[in-house]
Amino acid sequence: MYAAHAYLFTCQEFAVWNSNRAVEAIDQHLQYLAEQEEDELPVDTDEALTSELQRQLRDLDLIARYSKDLRHAGLGLPIDTSIRLRMELRAPLSSRE
């Protein structure tokens, strides 16, 4: 969702910051799990980080499909377009699959 908002408001720094933060959050969570476990981590660290980056790429591909609608979004979108995009994008962008 943050990437879509960054696209809407033409602020790519915001999207980059959020992408980095999501990867850092995964890493911090894995470090926390490692501290709680006395054995090995139950999850492969590299696989978890790769999975997060793949999720972000899927989201960017999905957003790119709507580039025609979003091209001039920084200038504002018609309310019906905004509602339609919110309905079509919210669930897929929020999913972990």
Side-chain angles (χ1 to χ4, degrees), residues 27-44:
D27 189 47
Q28 288 174 354
H29 181 67
L30 292 174
Q31 287 177 19
Y32 171 79
L33 290 176
E35 292 170 2
Q36 303 303 311
E37 297 289 326
E38 295 183 11
D39 294 331
E40 286 186 31
L41 272 176
V43 176
D44 178 13

Side-chain angles (χ1 to χ4, degrees), residues 7-8 60-73 77 84-85 89:
Y7 198 113
L8 282 169
L60 289 173
D61 286 341
L62 179 61
I63 292 166
R65 292 182 206 153
Y66 292 87
S67 63
K68 181 180 175 189
D69 292 321
L70 296 170
R71 181 166 295 128
H72 302 291
L77 288 173
R84 179 178 56 81
L85 290 175
L89 290 173

Side-chain angles (χ1 to χ4, degrees), residues 18-28 49 52-53 56:
N18 279 288
S19 172
N20 289 338
R21 184 61 192 113
V23 172
E24 289 171 10
I26 297 289
D27 189 47
Q28 288 174 354
L49 294 173
E52 172 58 25
L53 291 171
Q56 290 181 26

